[in-house]
Amino acid sequence: MYDIELNEEQRMVRDMARDFARQEVVPHAQAWEKAGWIDDGVVQAMGELGLLGMIVPEEWQGTFVDYVSYAVAVEEISAGDGALGAFMSIHNSVGCGPILRYGNDEQKRTWLPDLAAGRKIGCFCLTEPQAGSEANNLRTRAELIDGQWVLNGAKQFVSNGRRASLAIVFAVTDPELGKKGLSAFLVPTDTPGFIVDRSEHKMGIKASDTCAVTLSDCRIPAQNLLGERGKGLAIALSNLEGGRIGIAAQALGIARAAFESALAYARERVQFGKAIIEHQSIANMLADMHTQINAARLLVLHAARMKDAGLACLSEASQAKLFASEMAEKVCSSAVQIHGGYGYLEDYPVEKYYRDARITQIYEGSSEIQRLLIARELSHYAL
């Protein structure tokens, strides 16, 4: 499976993640789905394997090798369970990423080792009920009073919100400055006034906790400002490349799992005296699914390699995320179709893959936003 595209170390990471997914994730994914919660034991095990510190350097007790290794690991975990892949991608990219890039030495020393080891989990509080991709339209406010920041507002769609020990919260500090008046803060979730209102009931990735959060006179020390005052929008946007590579890899993993389930079923299911894979219409569907998955993987690995090379890859990451997420829905839909009526039942995993794949076109920037960003880059395209 795509060995030629990976070096030896990257293959070792992939194989480790695949073995873990098959042995420790797949047998439990349906139970986690019903419980609406990922088992604490598997989170601890992922931390011990280094899967939760994959973008953090060894200096801060992480396991960073390169973004290709990260992408293939997210794919493998997501093939085991899309919800766990979401948890892993979000914790790495927007839980650890902003602190790694913008935190001072004290903030890194305080948080990164525990985050990288999975002893603490991070979440990212940007989206609000009225503001999703429009990050400069936030209403949450932060005021500096007597040496403390006081935060008030509401956040929506906070992944890992109930499990997290640390929240990266974006709030307006200088309303008169518009988009230059947004700042970022490190908020321990046990701070009085940080209130998890509810866990949302979702179509898919149900085991991944997604929460609404209220900040009510939530007071944190002045030194919990992340980066410079007024640089919140830059911090929010800085993790787009890595975040979108992660979600593209998640979509890829879900699609691959759906394809493999459909392929196995097509080899076993007999209709009109032969396995349905021998019927041309089914064989063509499987051929298209396989081709689309391989094309998506090439886009994901290309974006990851550009990031590893230190090259700007916002458009490439957006292309990978756009193609992989839309591909995943098509592939999962075809997998349900190949299963026929059984594909619509919970007895078979493809109905879960179909539901899990749908979100990948929405979070970390919707497909519409990805197209907008890709189109903007075309103004600089060299002919």
Side-chain angles (χ1 to χ4, degrees), residues 7 33-34 43-44 89 110 139 165 189 223 324 356 376:
N7 63 35
E33 161 118 340
K34 288 182 171 59
V43 172
Q44 180 181 349
S89 175
T110 299
R139 295 177 184 168
S165 303
T189 59
Q223 60 265 31
D356 286 352
R376 282 179 182 171

Side-chain angles (χ1 to χ4, degrees), residues 265-294:
Y265 183 83
R267 288 170 173 171
E268 295 171 0
R269 177 68 167 167
V270 174
Q271 288 282 279
F272 304 106
K274 57 184 177 181
I276 63 173
I277 195 173
E278 297 179 34
H279 294 282
Q280 195 65 54
S281 59
I282 300 298
N284 287 345
M285 289 175 67
L286 289 164
D288 286 344
M289 294 159 73
H290 188 46
T291 301
Q292 290 163 11
I293 288 168
N294 284 335

Side-chain angles (χ1 to χ4, degrees), residues 70-72 74-75 78 244-254 300 324:
Y70 171 59
V72 297
V74 172
E75 177 187 340
S78 301
R244 286 170 181 168
I245 290 169
I247 299 305
Q250 180 204 7
L252 177 59
I254 296 169
V300 172

